Amino acid sequence: MSRPIVRFAPSPTGHIHIGNTRVALLNALFARREGGTFILRFDDTDVARSKQEYADSIETDLRWLGIPPDVIVRQSDRFDLYDAAAGRLKAAGRLYPCYETQEELEFRRKRQLARGLPPIYDRAALKLTDEDRARLEREGRRPHWRFRLEPTHVTWDDLVRGPCHVDCSSLSDPVLVREDGTYLYTLPSVVDDIDLAITHVIRGEDHVTNTAVQIQIFEALGAAAPTFAHHSLLITASGEGLSKRLGHLSIQGLREAGLEPQAVASLAVLVGSAEAVRPVANLDDLARLIDFSHISRAPAKFDESELEHLNARLIHDMPYAAARERLAALGADEGEAFWNAVRGNLTKLRDAAEWARVVRGPVAPAIEDRAFAEAATAVLPEAPWDGTTWKAWTDAVKAATGVKGKALFMPLRLALTGLDHGPELGALLPLIGPERARARLSGQAA
Ligand code: GLU
């Protein structure tokens, strides 16, 4: 394959969510695997709703996920290109002015439905004479512009859905330009795909009908259409779609909740594919698992709680080298032995801070039976302590007191950590060390 050029094209009107991430990752990882280019295109032709704050947050999210774009373009910088393309379509008679109001269109639609006809635009505006138009404009009407569809079956070979066809005679001519001269999404997207030499349009299946229309626009502008891949959309366990507007599972929120980018990426890419959803440790491995022909056509249902499981599994396997800097940033870098001791107990990396505090102190010990604590202290092994110390010590405590099992271990854990759960004490004890251990066993916070 020649090097693909792909784009992720969000409108910066809200924070992106895990469903948008699926689109972004499929594009970015496909480009990465094939040595291609990943473009971030801000679809910000709706100037009123688009905000710089959201554009910034989308860039931050992509960087956090490990897929910074190679190129960034903004549609709001490219109106000249769209005007030129609209001019060409007008000159070719493919873009024509219409003057109906919403109410008029609604009335016609109802009448068609009542007569059992499909509610598609009747192209009345094509019959207007120059005089009619002049009169309407004198009345203060401004035209919106529709693209005249050819009544053909548009076909394409979709990388996900296989051979697709849409009968364009069953569609209304789409409006490409509004009364106020602003563009709807349809035309600018095609103009940019041509101008940026996009080879693959990878996007959600909600765009399948747009694709048929856009293929006709590519042709009308004298360009070859790119290859299309329409993947299934994510839906929640209760069957709901995700909404940027409602702030569903925003990437920002998941980041703030302490989830690993790889947990989010693994779920977003693998759910609804032939691959089992599992934690994949890096993006190159995840990229190798992408196979468009194995993405299911049914909506991809995912369970939010799955993210925590994936996260925990990633942390449990995370080598110290990968965790070190982040532990340091949390003030919880207690060395490799510490990380190896606690990682199996963590769901989120930041929870390591709690165990660093347990090791370092101060810990308020919980002691119910002072005599038992004293007896245990009396047989504490000599320093230096290592991985064998806990076993040697508890054997000695058992021999001295006759106590065993949980009745032996739990009071020691409570005294040493102040908690009734946590990582193996065999690993924690040498990290706590003899001085703090003695103090805690005597009931002092240390
Ligand atoms: N702005 C469009 C969207 O977010 C882009 C669709 C496309 O990829 O062409 O749905």
Side-chain angles (χ1 to χ4, degrees):
M1 185 191 311
S2 58
R3 293 171 185 273
I5 305 174
V6 297
R7 81 296 192 285
F8 169 52
S11 28
T13 54
H15 295 293
I16 54 172
H17 55 57
I18 190 164
N20 306 124
T21 302
R22 179 171 171 83
V23 192
L25 284 159
L26 288 173
N27 277 285
L29 296 184
F30 174 65
R32 174 188 294 225
R33 189 181 70 195
E34 307 298 335
T37 304
F38 172 51
I39 298 176
L40 170 60
R41 183 185 88 198
F42 285 118
D43 283 6
D44 57 353
T45 53
D46 184 343
V47 187
R49 286 179 57 225
S50 299
K51 298 224 157 60
Q52 185 58 38
E53 153 201 0
Y54 293 130
D56 292 342
S57 107
I58 291 169
E59 271 190 68
T60 304
D61 291 345
L62 296 186
R63 275 176 222 291
W64 178 72
L65 284 163
I67 50 168
D70 301 312
V71 178
I72 300 180
V73 297
R74 286 184 175 68
Q75 291 197 321
S76 56
D77 291 338
R78 302 166 61 81
F79 284 116
D80 288 351
L81 284 174
Y82 313 145
D83 292 346
R88 283 174 60 199
L89 294 177
K90 285 176 191 174
R94 293 298 295 276
L95 196 57
Y96 62 96
C98 304
Y99 294 84
E100 294 90 348
T101 63
Q102 281 306 323
E103 294 74 40
E104 282 162 356
L105 291 171
E106 190 50 28
F107 175 76
R108 280 191 216 166
R109 222 176 62 84
K110 286 198 178 127
R111 199 174 51 190
Q112 285 167 317
L113 284 171
R115 291 183 183 157
L117 298 169
I120 57 178
Y121 178 62
D122 61 8
R123 294 184 161 168
L126 276 180
K127 298 185 195 91
L128 295 175
T129 61
D130 287 348
E131 232 167 79
D132 293 331
R133 279 193 286 272
R135 178 179 45 78
L136 287 162
E137 303 229 355
R138 270 201 308 279
E139 285 171 11
R141 296 214 192 186
R142 289 279 158 274
H144 54 273
W145 297 77
R146 288 186 191 262
F147 178 68
R148 187 172 53 72
L149 289 170
E150 298 291 0
T152 54
H153 279 258
V154 169
T155 61
W156 72 94
D157 237 331
D158 197 284
L159 294 185
V160 176
R161 301 164 66 89
C164 290
H165 64 94
V166 172
D167 176 4
C168 285
S169 66
S170 68
L171 302 178
S172 290
D173 287 342
V175 176
L176 300 190
V177 189
R178 299 187 187 87
E179 273 83 0
D180 62 3
T182 60
Y183 291 96
L184 282 100
Y185 144 82
T186 323
L187 175 65
S189 183
V190 172
V191 171
D192 287 336
D193 288 343
I194 297 171
D195 184 59
L196 300 169
I198 298 298
T199 57
H200 294 73
V201 169
I202 303 162
R203 60 187 178 188
E205 64 185 5
D206 49 333
H207 284 288
V208 165
T209 307
N210 282 339
T211 295
V213 169
Q214 288 182 325
I215 286 175
Q216 285 211 8
I217 299 177
F218 277 105
E219 283 165 3
L221 291 172
T227 301
F228 289 92
H230 292 93
H231 59 78
S232 52
L233 300 180
L234 294 193
I235 58 169
T236 65
S238 57
E240 267 176 290
L242 298 174
S243 151
K244 218 193 278 179
R245 195 170 46 81
L246 297 177
H248 265 135
L249 288 166
S250 75
I251 297 305
Q252 189 182 41
L254 297 175
R255 180 169 63 240
E256 284 166 6
L259 289 165
E260 297 296 309
Q262 273 303 129
V264 176
S266 301
L267 182 73
V269 169
L270 297 181
V271 69
S273 79
E275 295 289 334
V277 175
R278 58 186 185 276
V280 180
N282 63 69
L283 292 175
D284 287 327
D285 288 348
L286 195 54
R288 275 191 282 277
L289 296 177
I290 294 175
D291 180 343
F292 292 115
S293 68
H294 284 165
I295 296 179
S296 83
R297 307 237 343 224
K301 200 175 243 194
F302 80 101
D303 188 347
E304 198 179 334
S305 64
E306 185 101 36
L307 278 173
E308 300 243 327
H309 296 304
L310 291 171
N311 208 74
R313 288 170 62 192
L314 283 164
I315 301 282
H316 299 172
D317 292 339
M318 188 180 282
Y320 176 61
R324 185 178 190 166
E325 254 177 51
R326 292 167 61 198
L327 290 172
L330 287 168
D333 182 11
E334 296 292 321
E336 183 159 9
F338 165 77
W339 175 247
N340 290 340
V342 304
R343 63 182 177 174
N345 279 72
L346 307 177
T347 302
K348 294 175 181 166
L349 186 134
R350 68 184 180 197
D351 301 340
E354 172 66 3
W355 297 112
R357 191 192 58 77
V358 165
V359 164
R360 236 189 279 135
V363 159
I367 296 180
E368 278 173 15
D369 183 342
R370 285 201 170 268
F372 177 75
E374 273 166 30
T377 310
V379 295
L380 268 175
E382 292 296 316
W385 285 3
D386 60 23
T388 64
T389 306
W390 169 254
K391 169 88 169 65
W393 181 39
T394 50
D395 284 349
V397 177
K398 197 185 328 177
T401 62
V403 179
K404 54 185 191 219
K406 199 174 173 203
L408 168 69
F409 300 122
M410 191 49 84
L412 296 182
R413 180 179 284 283
L414 285 166
L416 291 171
T417 69
L419 299 166
D420 62 4
H421 64 277
E424 294 283 336
L425 278 167
L428 284 189
L429 188 63
L431 296 166
I432 293 170
E435 214 171 291
R436 283 186 289 250
R438 274 177 203 284
R440 292 177 193 177
L441 285 161
S442 74
Q444 285 171 42

